[in-house]
Amino acid sequence: MFVPPSYHPESPGWARRVVTAFPLALLITQGEHGPFATHLPVIPAEESGLEHGTGPCGLVGVKLLGHMNRANPHWAALAAGGPGILVFTGPDAYISPPVYQARDVAPTWNFVAVHVHGTPEPLGTAEETLRVVEATVTAYEREHGTGWDMTDELHYFSRIVGGAGAFSFQVTAAEGMFKLSQDKPRPVRTAIADVLAAGSERTRQVADTMRDLGVAGPPPDAPGGAARSDAPRPVRSADPPAARTTAPDTDPTGGQP
């Protein structure tokens, strides 16, 4: 992914935040007759953890776990091996020129995205897949759900897990794109965040991100400036980007009856 210098993450926590808060990723791999792309849930493997990642995005060396429906042709294609990309899409919003209060301006779209590179490795047993499903539910209930206890439903998970296939993904490279109007002066960025904060839930997520990362508002080291936070907010991701893809695989059990 091409990332202009202004939009690189300033801290590894920026990219880690996206992976945690917006975990519905797009897995892209090359098939025999063309690319495959599938939306699916992804979590960090417990033994690696995001805090152990390296590089500017803090994700190199991290092991991620995902799963999809075995009926998806993409699953069979993973057996052939080969590299892949996981795309995590953060908040985004359209920026209309009047907010700049200046001439010689153009509209744009602010957005956040993180791409991680590696090779998906299918896990071979139903037991391994079930562990991934259970870990995914635990992580998502903690960060995005109601804290639901799956204990009484594990027997049901065990019955249907054969329809799901899990994989590991060792991150070998990562890029983060945080296009949040950094090419504009801070007062303009702050005005943009104020306008977005008064809009929809979708635009408020962008405003929150700009402020949390210190891109908008008083500089963190200025009197009255808020301390910058790289910690993920427990928000639900926006709709995934439009693409020609297979059906989303978001059901933690692989979408099997």
Side-chain angles (χ1 to χ4, degrees), residues 118-212:
T119 300
E121 299 285 350
L123 303 181
T125 68
E127 290 75 15
E128 290 175 300
T129 298
L130 184 58
R131 284 197 293 270
V132 170
V133 169
E134 291 178 9
T136 302
V137 173
T138 298
Y140 289 178
E141 282 296 322
R142 180 179 63 247
E143 300 292 340
H144 308 281
T146 61
W148 173 68
D149 185 349
M150 74 183 93
T151 303
D152 292 340
E153 299 299 333
L154 290 178
H155 67 288
Y156 176 67
F157 282 21
S158 297
R159 290 208 317 266
I160 65 175
V161 74
F167 63 89
S168 65
F169 189 102
Q170 194 79 29
V171 178
T172 58
E175 305 102 22
M177 177 81 154
F178 292 79
K179 184 180 179 298
L180 300 171
S181 300
Q182 293 96 319
D183 58 325
K184 304 299 181 185
R186 179 171 290 273
V188 175
R189 300 199 301 266
T190 299
I192 291 171
D194 290 344
V195 170
L196 295 177
S200 65
E201 173 63 24
R202 177 173 180 170
T203 64
R204 286 196 296 271
Q205 287 187 23
V206 179
D208 289 342
T209 300
M210 294 176 70
R211 292 166 173 170
D212 289 349

Side-chain angles (χ1 to χ4, degrees), residues 4-223:
S6 297
Y7 304 140
H8 282 278
E10 295 182 12
S11 161
W14 289 25
R16 292 170 181 162
R17 166 195 177 110
V18 176
V19 171
T20 303
F22 299 89
L24 182 66
L26 178 65
L27 174 65
I28 304 170
T29 64
Q30 182 63 34
E32 182 180 0
H33 303 293
F36 285 96
T38 298
H39 295 283
L40 41 76
V42 174
I43 59 170
E46 183 177 359
E47 67 268 23
S48 71
L50 295 183
E51 68 274 11
H52 301 302
T54 61
C57 289
L59 295 171
V60 174
V62 167
K63 182 164 75 170
L64 302 174
L65 300 172
H67 67 279
M68 69 172 71
N69 194 320
R70 283 180 176 268
N72 186 340
H74 197 169
W75 173 253
L78 293 185
I85 299 174
L86 282 168
V87 177
F88 296 87
T89 304
D92 68 280
Y94 177 72
I95 310 300
S96 184
V99 72
Y100 300 133
Q101 298 184 358
R103 299 293 300 271
D104 299 324
V105 295
T108 191
W109 204 288
N110 279 3
F111 68 93
V112 171
V114 173
H115 292 192
V116 298
H117 302 252
T119 300
E121 299 285 350
L123 303 181
T125 68
E127 290 75 15
E128 290 175 300
T129 298
L130 184 58
R131 284 197 293 270
V132 170
V133 169
E134 291 178 9
T136 302
V137 173
T138 298
Y140 289 178
E141 282 296 322
R142 180 179 63 247
E143 300 292 340
H144 308 281
T146 61
W148 173 68
D149 185 349
M150 74 183 93
T151 303
D152 292 340
E153 299 299 333
L154 290 178
H155 67 288
Y156 176 67
F157 282 21
S158 297
R159 290 208 317 266
I160 65 175
V161 74
F167 63 89
S168 65
F169 189 102
Q170 194 79 29
V171 178
T172 58
E175 305 102 22
M177 177 81 154
F178 292 79
K179 184 180 179 298
L180 300 171
S181 300
Q182 293 96 319
D183 58 325
K184 304 299 181 185
R186 179 171 290 273
V188 175
R189 300 199 301 266
T190 299
I192 291 171
D194 290 344
V195 170
L196 295 177
S200 65
E201 173 63 24
R202 177 173 180 170
T203 64
R204 286 196 296 271
Q205 287 187 23
V206 179
D208 289 342
T209 300
M210 294 176 70
R211 292 166 173 170
D212 289 349
L213 299 182
V215 173
D221 57 352

